[in-house]
Amino acid sequence: MSNIALPFKRYTITSALPYANGPLHIGHLAGAYIPADIYVRFLRLNNKDVVYVCGSDEHGAAITIKAKKEGTTPQAIIDKYHAQIKLSFEQFGISFDIYHRTSEKIHHELSQEFFLNLYEKGEFIEQVTEQYYDEEYHQFLADRYITGTCPNCKSEGAYGDQCEKCGTSLNPTDLINPISTLSGKPPVLRETRHWYLPLDKYQPWLEEWLLEGKKEVLKPNVYGQCRSWLKSGLQPRSMTRDLDWGVDVPLEEAKGKKLYVWLDAPIGYISATKQWALDTGNDWEKYWKKQINPADDACLIHFIGKDNIVFHCITFPSILHAHGEYILPENVPANEFLNLEGDKLSTSRNHAVWLHEYLDEFPGKQDELRYVLTSILPETSDSEFTWKDFQARVNNELVAIFGNFINRVLVLSHKYFGGKVMETSQLTDTDRFIFSELERYPKHIAGSVTQFRFREALAQFMNVARLGNKYLADSEPWKLVKTDEERVKSVLNVSLQIAANLAIMARPFLPHTAQRMFAMLNFEAAGWQQAGRHDLLPAGHQLGEAQLLFEKITDEQVDAQLAKLSKAKETNARAAKTVPEAKPNISFEEFVRMDIRVGKILAAEKVAKTKKLLKLTIDTGIDRRTVVSGIAEFFAPEEVVGKQVAILVNLEPREIKGIVSQGMILMAEDKDGRLDFVVPQTEVQSGSTIR
Ligand SMILES: [Zn+2]
């Protein structure tokens, strides 16, 4: 396997640091973690020197806002979610060498070191400017503390540092109609001093390094975004903030100020590597710093979602470049977004499949989710997860093809030959075709993985399983065993070689399944270079016990998940409802034309064959009359008798369900459609006017 395109000796792989302000959902996994994990596992299988780092991003306004919302401290928020996120990653087999956190001292120190390095070189522009300030909360408003309309794409809800819709990075003063997310009010301007990174100064360098140097390397979606930002011209960006949570700016004159979270967060990759090196006795600088001989430099790859492209392709490389001692990213294979059941994934609307809930509901089925997410990764455009598709892929592919093949080979081998691999006597043309296919596939899969085309890689992997399943089904050893046992030995041998190859090639994609297959085959592969061979299991080799690898997802399971999502939608719709907008003004004359009186309900009965209607007999003070009222869902007839009500008596009579209704009872209706009577505070004479 010499043609695998892995030209570097050493690899530094990062996945985007998740914000420690909420649990993880499938969109996170599909964005920056499953692709990176497949890549890293593949590198390790090829015996590459690789470090894979990640950690919780524990600074930034998202954390402090969450703490305010939950009535607790930022520290309590990050402790809770860091532990939860870390556990989810472990459970899904995301194989970080370290999962660190940016609240650690080693990270604060390294971030300050970076800031001082650039400060002492005179890279920053120090500037007093007018910034938005919330007078009610006594706080400057940056990043997520301020929202408004994006000046670029005109969508609402853009944040002070970025529009998540179009990905453009912003300054708070760029926003149209800015609003404080603390008080909900328009902010005022106040003077404050900050330190700006002169991105405009680095623009010529970025054009050369990125636009010219990475044209053939970056994915088209990533390259296109970078080109459009550079085309519109970069502006200096403030690297400091007036906040009380984050890394202190290490300057006397900046007391009380913090580093911008997108300055310190990517440095989190480096501090995580530093901590890992301390823990394991490694040298972190080999993975991050330029080496004396450039050929010894590590290959740095950032796996992220598309909302982070600007920070990983423009800001962070500019910081690394200005510092000078560090390597630059080789590639930034950003994914687009994953949608769920026709709608955007949303934490605030609870429209998500949460990883911790998934594992409660589908225990032990991590690889099933990894499989389905890998087959629909949003590599080139947004993609969609639906539970029906999840069920179809698990049942029709994992269970019916892959799992079925592995189970059949093992069960038959145990049944006919005591679980021993038998000699092949004579190879047929079909056998030879299978062997040549086995040789071909690992190269194709490797080619796809090294080009970050993981969907394609997984599809090829499934083709190997299909090949095996078809070979076994066509060969029909269960019939053949009565007439030609020698041929059955060969068929099962060939099938077992396919199974062993599948076990090796499953490792990057389905790590838990691969482990179980190795146990079933009683075999462990040294690495990817063994894939493609057809003598992995020698004659006489004793197999382990057969187990079912996958089981079907039932309709009930799918229905339960869909019901859960629609319940969240309902809850959300209720919360989102507000009181109706004001109607246009009317004149006093128009108002006094309405004759509204206090009346008393004398009798009430349900209107037959209706749910909502009560027939009421009302003493209006003027007369006794019949009114049909739509209140039966909220009041039983016996409850309302004797109640005083407000009644519009000069409404044109109307026939409702065959009853002539003479007037209308006035009711209060809340945003959820609940009704209540409008009544005087103390009992008044029937016929009293209301105006
Ligand atoms: Zn925008």
Side-chain angles (χ1 to χ4, degrees):
M1 303 306 310
S2 53
N3 62 341
I4 296 175
L6 295 172
F8 293 83
K9 277 187 210 166
R10 189 170 296 119
Y11 288 80
T12 307
I13 312 296
T14 74
S15 279
L17 307 186
Y19 264 135
N21 73 334
L24 296 176
H25 57 59
I26 52 170
H28 293 112
L29 271 194
Y33 306 100
I34 284 181
D37 188 62
I38 294 172
Y39 192 74
V40 164
R41 285 176 182 273
F42 179 77
L43 290 176
R44 292 191 189 123
L45 264 177
N46 283 282
N47 302 312
K48 291 287 169 182
D49 178 2
V50 48
V51 66
Y52 179 27
V53 297
C54 190
S56 298
D57 179 357
E58 304 185 316
H59 299 135
I63 308 286
T64 41
I65 288 170
K66 180 84 175 181
K68 265 198 184 107
K69 231 179 177 174
E70 294 195 359
T72 181
T73 61
Q75 189 65 46
I77 292 289
I78 62 172
D79 287 347
K80 173 179 164 187
Y81 290 113
H82 171 74
Q84 192 179 29
I85 292 169
K86 187 166 188 275
L87 180 65
S88 283
F89 280 139
E90 281 166 13
Q91 288 170 329
F92 278 88
I94 306 299
S95 57
F96 302 127
D97 288 298
I98 182 169
Y99 188 75
H100 202 234
R101 50 195 306 192
T102 62
S103 57
E104 294 285 354
K105 189 163 165 254
I106 192 171
H107 172 73
H108 280 232
E109 286 170 357
L110 187 68
S111 303
Q112 291 175 332
E113 220 177 282
F114 258 88
F115 183 89
L116 282 177
N117 180 294
L118 268 62
Y119 176 83
E120 278 155 15
K121 285 184 182 139
E123 290 290 326
F124 292 122
I125 307 165
E126 196 176 322
Q127 235 179 344
V128 176
T129 56
E130 290 200 310
Q131 292 297 324
Y132 286 125
Y133 185 83
D134 188 322
E135 286 182 307
E136 205 174 306
Y137 280 78
H138 308 287
Q139 189 177 317
F140 278 99
L141 302 170
D143 312 329
R144 283 169 187 245
Y145 279 109
I146 188 159
T147 90
T149 305
C150 169
N152 181 48
C153 72
K154 305 289 186 269
S155 65
E156 284 176 37
Y159 290 118
D161 61 339
Q162 193 193 22
C163 169
E164 289 187 345
K165 300 270 161 54
C166 67
T168 303
S169 68
L170 301 168
N171 288 310
T173 44
D174 298 334
L175 292 171
I176 303 162
N177 299 325
I179 294 284
S180 163
T181 56
L182 294 174
S183 65
K185 290 177 182 162
V188 296
L189 284 167
R190 256 199 208 178
E191 282 196 342
T192 180
R193 175 185 305 272
H194 283 294
W195 285 262
Y196 290 75
L197 190 68
L199 290 175
D200 49 336
K201 179 180 138 185
Y202 309 136
Q203 168 129 6
W205 170 76
L206 281 165
E207 280 171 5
E208 196 190 322
W209 170 72
L210 195 65
L211 289 195
E212 284 169 43
K214 300 261 174 246
K215 195 168 182 171
E216 307 299 325
V217 178
L218 294 175
K219 289 165 64 167
N221 57 327
V222 178
Y223 186 82
Q225 277 212 24
C226 295
R227 191 181 49 195
S228 90
W229 290 318
L230 285 165
K231 219 174 142 191
S232 57
L234 301 178
Q235 303 295 321
R237 288 191 60 78
S238 172
M239 291 291 119
T240 53
R241 291 287 185 269
D242 293 293
L243 288 176
D244 49 16
W245 181 252
V247 178
D248 289 328
V249 178
L251 297 174
E252 203 40 52
E253 66 265 44
K255 240 190 157 69
K257 292 182 197 281
K258 307 288 181 208
L259 297 182
Y260 174 39
V261 67
W262 273 111
L263 171 67
D264 91 74
I267 295 171
Y269 301 138
I270 310 174
S271 55
T273 314
K274 244 180 133 170
Q275 185 61 55
W276 164 80
L278 276 174
D279 296 343
T280 56
N282 269 291
D283 172 13
W284 71 272
E285 296 195 346
K286 286 196 304 188
Y287 296 90
W288 280 99
K289 292 209 167 170
K290 291 177 184 165
Q291 304 296 301
I292 299 162
N293 177 359
D296 295 334
D297 284 358
C299 171
L300 172 62
I301 298 174
H302 298 303
F303 285 88
I304 55 168
K306 69 172 163 190
D307 49 334
N308 288 344
I309 294 175
V310 69
F311 305 112
H312 288 79
C313 289
I314 307 276
T315 325
F316 189 45
S318 294
I319 292 166
L320 294 172
H321 169 69
H323 187 293
E325 291 172 21
Y326 285 81
I327 55 170
L328 296 164
E330 191 61 28
N331 208 333
V332 183
N335 267 356
E336 302 283 299
F337 289 148
L338 182 74
N339 295 320
L340 168 64
E341 300 285 353
D343 201 354
K344 284 198 161 141
L345 277 155
S346 165
T347 298
S348 55
R349 286 187 289 115
N350 194 19
H351 185 66
V353 177
W354 303 104
L355 298 190
H356 62 288
E357 290 186 5
Y358 172 89
L359 274 189
D360 284 345
E361 287 148 17
F362 298 94
K365 296 201 190 311
Q366 288 91 324
D367 278 4
E368 283 83 338
L369 189 60
R370 280 181 71 119
Y371 177 80
V372 173
L373 290 177
T374 306
S375 23
I376 58 168
L377 285 176
E379 289 174 345
T380 52
S381 58
D382 291 357
S383 62
E384 186 171 12
F385 179 95
T386 69
W387 281 106
K388 276 275 165 219
D389 179 62
F390 172 80
Q391 180 189 35
R393 286 179 194 271
V394 172
N395 293 2
N396 305 340
E397 296 170 19
L398 289 183
V399 176
I401 297 169
F402 183 18
N404 180 55
F405 168 62
I406 299 297
N407 189 250
R408 267 184 168 180
V409 187
L410 274 137
V411 166
L412 294 176
S413 295
H414 279 284
K415 192 170 165 191
Y416 302 149
F417 307 117
K420 276 208 163 45
V421 181
M422 304 309 278
E423 295 275 2
T424 50
S425 45
Q426 262 177 338
L427 291 179
T428 63
D429 285 348
T430 313
D431 298 341
R432 275 188 279 272
F433 168 73
I434 295 282
F435 290 158
S436 73
E437 288 290 273
L438 274 187
E439 251 178 71
R440 193 170 68 83
Y441 271 109
K443 294 174 199 165
H444 281 276
I445 295 173
S448 303
V449 168
T450 51
Q451 291 173 78
F452 311 110
R453 296 207 293 258
F454 303 108
R455 284 169 75 148
E456 187 183 277
L458 185 72
Q460 309 246 25
F461 167 81
M462 267 313 289
N463 283 342
V464 181
R466 267 192 195 93
L467 188 73
N469 203 39
K470 185 171 186 309
Y471 172 76
L472 197 60
D474 291 351
S475 305
E476 297 184 309
W478 45 89
K479 284 189 186 165
L480 213 53
V481 73
K482 292 164 202 145
T483 54
D484 189 353
E485 200 187 79
E486 280 309 300
R487 180 63 197 143
V488 173
K489 288 178 183 172
S490 296
V491 166
L492 289 185
N493 183 308
V494 171
S495 300
L496 284 165
Q497 305 307 333
I498 302 173
N501 272 282
L502 281 168
I504 300 173
M505 292 189 277
R507 277 174 71 174
F509 307 103
L510 308 168
H512 306 93
T513 304
Q515 269 328 106
R516 294 176 60 201
M517 288 174 72
F518 285 131
M520 283 159 66
L521 296 169
N522 186 24
F523 143 86
E524 185 88 36
W528 188 266
Q529 75 282 356
Q530 282 179 285
R533 284 171 46 179
H534 54 263
D535 56 354
L536 289 170
L537 302 174
H541 176 81
Q542 178 65 48
L543 301 166
E545 264 182 54
Q547 285 175 6
L548 281 177
L549 283 179
F550 307 103
E551 51 188 37
K552 281 192 174 177
I553 304 293
T554 64
D555 289 344
E556 290 71 40
Q557 286 174 307
V558 170
D559 292 344
Q561 292 302 322
L562 291 175
K564 201 167 140 187
L565 286 175
S566 49
K567 202 176 158 198
K569 208 165 240 169
E570 274 169 36
T571 310
N572 199 55
R574 262 202 304 280
K577 269 191 215 153
T578 51
V579 292
E581 277 183 46
K583 293 177 184 172
N585 287 349
I586 59 166
S587 67
F588 183 69
E589 286 71 26
E590 282 175 280
F591 169 70
V592 295
R593 286 175 59 205
M594 292 195 286
D595 191 349
I596 306 172
R597 305 290 179 112
V598 176
K600 190 172 198 167
I601 301 176
L602 300 175
E605 59 182 279
K606 285 203 89 163
V607 176
K609 290 178 194 160
T610 70
K611 267 193 203 164
K612 291 187 175 175
L613 300 180
L614 285 188
K615 179 185 167 192
L616 306 172
T617 308
I618 304 215
D619 173 13
T620 63
I622 312 163
D623 53 19
R624 281 187 182 195
R625 55 172 78 186
T626 299
V627 172
V628 177
S629 184
I631 59 173
E633 282 185 311
F634 300 96
F635 299 98
E638 57 275 16
E639 274 181 89
V640 303
V641 173
K643 267 194 195 303
Q644 287 209 306
V645 293
I647 173 171
L648 177 63
V649 294
N650 64 337
L651 185 69
E652 200 75 56
R654 284 195 299 163
E655 196 181 301
I656 302 169
K657 297 276 165 195
I659 305 162
V660 177
S661 179
Q662 302 163 291
M664 188 171 78
I665 308 292
L666 305 189
M667 303 295 291
E669 181 175 358
D670 72 8
K671 65 184 171 70
D672 296 326
R674 267 189 298 268
L675 301 178
D676 203 356
F677 290 99
V678 179
V679 291
Q681 300 293 307
T682 54
E683 180 144 347
V684 298
Q685 195 189 354
S686 289
S688 300
T689 58
I690 297 176
R691 36 193 186 107

